[in-house]
């Protein structure tokens, strides 16, 4: 009985360790947008004879919360590509902002996944008031522009005496080109990380930040629906993100190039830019300031990326003469 009880305890511990090691669900999306079939219909008629709606649902399939009361408060969905007056509506009726929190996907303690929450956006009534001589094909575009965050962990190796046999692989190695990295589901991520000694009291950690989504990232800022998420390389806010890094261990002091500010959570942070969505390297240093009782051990470097993200779907529509 005691033997089998011991086996059950060991199995339970292993399951908990595995769940903890795989806490993130992962994935390369934040919000995913889908147009409801038939809304709009593929063909409408002119002269105000075919009122219709555009209906879309957007699901938070990433792992960060969005909406009011969260660290990602701004969520905008808008309909573009048409002249509002020509479709019997006003410009302010072609955009909506999220008015409540939308939870992200979560992994339960038993390893199962709880999907993120879904919201519906409805643009109606729309009705083409003009007149066409022959079938006229137009393309509408539905944009979603939202604040989002990526949470990441990097498992690093530390030694009390950095230069003394730095290749000691009893537990881990100080020179490692492929550190274990975990990312929450999001379109920007820590792609890879590496580590190496940088002197007798410093360790260098390189973080490679990259874009893995299908849209475009921007610096957070304007909430004007006419200017938010302007999809242009000339946009001065394009490709910017804020990177925050934290390490909790009083034996080492963390510093990172370009990250010069400190927030209330103890993260050092600053802006970086992924030029044309190309990966960017941020170099950090861990300086040993006092000895520890552990000759060699592993620990976790925490990172957070905060940005605005934009994606869109195109909606083809044909307008026919009613006569």
């Amino acid at each position: 009985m005691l033997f089998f009880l011991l086996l059950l305890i060991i199995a339970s511990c292993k399951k908990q360790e595995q769940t903890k090691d795989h806490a993130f669900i992962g994935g390369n999306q934040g919000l995913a947008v889908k147009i409801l079939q038939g809304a709009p219909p593929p063909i409408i008629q002119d002269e105000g004879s075919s009122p219709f709606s555009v209906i879309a649902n957007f699901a938070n399939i990433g792992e960060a919360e969005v909406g009011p009361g969260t660290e990602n408060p701004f969520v905008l969905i808008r309909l573009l590509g048409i002249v509002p007056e020509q479709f019997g509506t006003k410009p302010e009726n072609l955009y909506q902002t999220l008015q409540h929190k939308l939870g992200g996907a979560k992994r339960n303690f038993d390893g199962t996944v709880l999907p993120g929450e879904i919201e519906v956006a409805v643009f109606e009534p729309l009705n083409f008031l003009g007149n066409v001589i022959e079938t006229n094909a137009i393309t509408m575009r539905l944009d979603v522009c939202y604040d989002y965050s990526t949470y990441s962990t990097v498992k690093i190796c530390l030694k009390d005496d950095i230069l003394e046999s730095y290749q000691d692989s009893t537990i881990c190695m100080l020179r490692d080109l492929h550190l274990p990295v975990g990312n929450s589901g999001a379109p920007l991520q820590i792609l890879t990380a590496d580590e190496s000694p940088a002197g007798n009291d410093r360790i260098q950690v390189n973080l490679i930040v990259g874009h893995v989504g299908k849209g475009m990232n921007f610096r957070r800022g304007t909430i004007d629906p006419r200017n938010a998420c302007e999809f242009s390389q000339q946009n001065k806010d394009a490709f910017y993100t804020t990177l925050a890094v934290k390490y909790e261990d009083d034996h080492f002091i963390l510093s990172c190039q370009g990250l010069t500010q400190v927030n209330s959570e103890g993260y050092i942070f600053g802006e970086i830019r992924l030029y044309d969505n190309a990966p960017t390297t941020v170099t950090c240093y861990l300086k040993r300031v006092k000895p520890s009782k552990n000759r060699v051990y592993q620990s976790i470097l925490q990172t957070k990326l905060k940005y605005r993200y934009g994606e869109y779907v195109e909606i083809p529509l044909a307008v026919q003469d009613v006569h």
Side-chain angles (χ1 to χ4, degrees):
M1 287 283 291
L2 290 173
F3 176 75
F4 285 111
L5 181 61
L6 181 61
L7 288 179
L8 286 174
I9 293 173
I10 292 172
S12 175
C13 290
K14 285 185 177 180
K15 185 175 181 179
Q16 290 177 0
E17 289 173 1
Q18 290 171 357
T19 301
K20 186 176 180 180
D21 288 343
H22 299 83
F24 292 127
I25 300 168
N28 63 356
Q29 287 184 285
L31 301 187
V33 182
K34 184 177 181 181
I35 305 298
L36 185 68
Q37 187 173 1
I43 300 174
I44 61 171
Q45 294 181 318
D46 65 357
E47 298 184 4
S49 58
S50 296
F52 66 96
S53 304
V54 175
I55 303 176
N57 65 46
F58 52 103
N60 189 1
I61 63 175
E63 296 176 67
E65 294 181 332
V66 297
T70 74
E71 66 178 10
N72 305 299
F74 182 76
V75 180
L76 168 73
I77 188 165
R78 59 192 173 189
L79 187 64
L80 301 175
I82 61 174
V83 178
E85 294 77 13
Q86 197 174 45
F87 280 79
T89 189
K90 298 178 180 179
E92 58 267 28
N93 295 333
L94 296 183
Y95 60 84
Q96 301 175 19
T97 54
L98 186 65
Q99 300 299 311
H100 58 86
K101 184 178 77 172
L102 204 64
K106 296 180 180 178
R107 187 183 296 279
N108 295 319
F109 70 94
D110 62 354
T112 59
V113 173
L114 182 66
E117 296 179 327
I118 299 175
E119 184 58 275
V120 176
V122 180
F123 298 92
E124 63 179 11
L126 298 172
N127 200 354
F128 186 77
L129 304 179
N131 177 268
V132 296
I133 300 175
E134 58 181 358
T135 299
N136 184 22
I138 62 174
T139 300
M140 296 186 293
R141 192 172 85 178
L142 191 75
D143 283 8
V144 60
C145 175
Y146 58 97
D147 292 345
Y148 216 68
S149 300
T150 307
Y151 312 105
S152 306
T153 58
V154 180
K155 186 179 289 187
I156 58 176
C157 183
L158 298 168
K159 290 188 66 176
D160 192 37
D161 189 336
I162 295 173
L163 291 184
E164 182 262 328
S165 187
Y166 69 82
Q167 293 188 4
D168 178 6
S169 59
T170 306
I171 296 177
C172 57
M173 293 182 63
L174 282 186
R175 191 177 297 279
D176 192 338
L177 299 179
H178 304 286
L179 294 174
V181 177
N183 288 286
S184 63
L188 266 62
Q189 295 183 358
I190 303 297
L191 300 181
T192 61
D194 62 75
E195 171 184 18
S196 61
N200 60 3
D201 63 350
R202 288 203 309 171
I203 296 171
Q204 177 176 326
V205 179
N206 296 315
L207 304 173
I208 314 300
V209 182
H211 177 247
V212 295
K214 300 178 181 178
M216 190 171 180
N217 68 286
F218 307 87
R219 173 191 285 127
R220 294 189 182 190
T222 177
I223 58 173
D224 184 345
R226 296 167 299 179
N227 298 322
C229 291
E230 182 184 342
F231 292 88
S232 168
Q233 293 192 1
Q234 282 69 48
N235 181 354
K236 61 181 179 60
D237 295 324
F239 308 121
Y240 278 99
T241 182
T242 297
L243 171 64
V245 185
K246 180 167 70 172
Y247 181 65
E248 298 177 305
D249 182 347
D250 59 2
H251 298 92
F252 288 85
I253 292 179
L254 173 69
S255 63
C256 297
Q257 293 178 350
L259 311 187
T260 58
Q261 302 177 71
V262 181
N263 65 18
S264 59
E265 299 176 279
Y267 284 87
I268 60 173
F269 69 96
E271 266 193 344
I272 61 173
R273 195 178 192 194
L274 311 180
Y275 290 93
D276 293 333
N277 280 333
T280 295
T281 300
V282 176
T283 299
C284 297
Y285 294 96
L286 288 162
K287 179 180 175 62
R288 183 173 61 79
V289 291
K290 64 180 181 179
S292 68
K293 295 181 181 180
N294 300 306
R295 179 168 173 269
V296 56
Y297 60 103
Q298 289 180 302
S299 192
I300 297 295
L301 197 68
Q302 301 177 56
T303 77
K304 183 188 296 187
L305 292 163
K306 297 179 70 173
Y307 44 91
R308 180 161 292 174
Y309 201 73
E311 292 186 66
Y312 61 85
V313 291
E314 294 185 338
I315 311 169
L317 186 69
V319 182
Q320 290 182 337
D321 185 359
V322 69
H323 301 294

